[in-house]
Amino acid sequence: MLKFGKFASHLKEMRGYIGVAFVLFLAAIFIGSSNPAFTNFLDSQMEGLKNLVQTIDSTANPAITMMIIIFLNNAIKCIFVMYLGVFFGIIPIAFLIINGMLIGYLLDVISRNPEMPSVLEMVLKGLLPHGIIEIPAIIIACAYGMKFGSLAWRGTGSFLFQRSRLLGIGAEFGFFAERTVAMMIALIVSLLIASIIESTVTVWLISL
């Protein structure tokens, strides 16, 4: 599965789940930027991020600390949402929606604050350099989690109504789980690169 051809082929087979995850993420960005009903929840999430930034800034080497924390946070969460998707896909879907809403909410706050840079500038400087790697990695991890969830739903349905199909679904589950190993490695490497960019290039561009 570490061969590029097989890896690419399997990723192509996942394009339906990746497409659904991408649409959910975009929808969540729109909701976060336009629906005030979630303001209190998103404010609490932003406050947590603000406290984390303050903690990082107080360390002896903020850049290295930032890189390590960002990498571990994203890598651990991506692995979790991938494999905990077995609980009927609830966790990866929730993770996608919350992260998308946070981005949309942040962009909305920036757009309404005349003292802040423009939304376009923040996207180009503060999100795009690392986000072009990080966001697809998150979406792909959630897509794999949703696939696990789909298999869980099918397995539950077969157990309740058509147990003769359980063996086939079990084999499909094992086959899919085996192929997530290569993807997990690829995601970890991608997120490491993204964390290096975010803690160096992104910080530098924003400082300009």
Side-chain angles (χ1 to χ4, degrees):
M1 191 56 201
L2 292 175
K3 293 181 178 179
F4 179 77
K6 291 183 178 180
F7 180 85
S9 177
H10 180 64
L11 193 59
K12 186 177 180 180
E13 292 173 7
M14 287 292 296
R15 63 185 181 275
Y17 288 93
I18 294 172
V20 171
F22 180 70
V23 170
L24 281 174
F25 188 72
L26 288 182
I29 292 176
F30 176 76
I31 293 171
S33 65
S34 61
N35 196 324
F38 300 99
T39 298
N40 291 335
F41 169 73
L42 295 172
D43 274 337
S44 67
Q45 297 295 309
M46 294 300 296
E47 188 64 28
L49 292 175
K50 181 180 177 181
N51 293 336
L52 179 60
V53 170
Q54 290 174 345
T55 301
I56 292 173
D57 288 340
S58 65
T59 61
N61 196 325
I64 297 296
T65 304
M66 182 179 183
M67 182 194 71
I68 293 172
I69 290 177
I70 290 172
F71 168 66
L72 291 177
N73 178 67
N74 289 336
I76 291 171
K77 285 181 177 179
C78 277
I79 293 171
F80 277 176
V81 298
M82 180 187 290
Y83 292 108
L84 293 183
V86 72
F87 295 107
F88 306 104
I90 295 172
I91 293 176
I93 291 175
F95 186 75
L96 268 178
I97 292 174
I98 291 173
N99 279 275
M101 288 175 63
L102 277 172
I103 292 176
Y105 180 66
L106 179 60
L107 294 178
D108 179 59
V109 170
I110 292 171
S111 68
R112 290 187 284 105
N113 190 337
E115 297 181 359
M116 296 288 288
S118 68
V119 171
L120 178 60
E121 185 178 356
M122 283 302 297
V123 169
L124 292 177
K125 291 183 176 182
L127 182 62
L128 191 61
H130 65 276
I132 199 170
I133 299 174
E134 183 180 298
I135 292 176
I138 290 173
I139 289 174
I140 291 172
C142 290
Y144 273 69
M146 290 163 61
K147 172 67 173 181
F148 271 123
S150 173
L151 290 171
W153 280 110
R154 289 169 55 196
T156 302
S158 296
F159 177 78
L160 294 174
F161 305 109
Q162 198 173 358
R163 296 192 179 183
S164 60
R165 299 182 60 187
L166 274 177
L167 188 61
I169 293 176
E172 184 179 351
F173 185 93
F175 181 82
F176 179 73
E178 180 184 344
R179 274 142 187 78
T180 62
V181 176
M183 178 52 66
M184 181 181 64
I185 295 171
L187 291 177
I188 289 174
V189 172
S190 298
L191 290 170
L192 176 60
I193 295 171
S195 67
I196 294 172
I197 295 173
E198 186 172 0
S199 59
T200 55
V201 177
T202 300
V203 172
W204 174 70
L205 288 173
I206 291 177
S207 69
L208 297 178

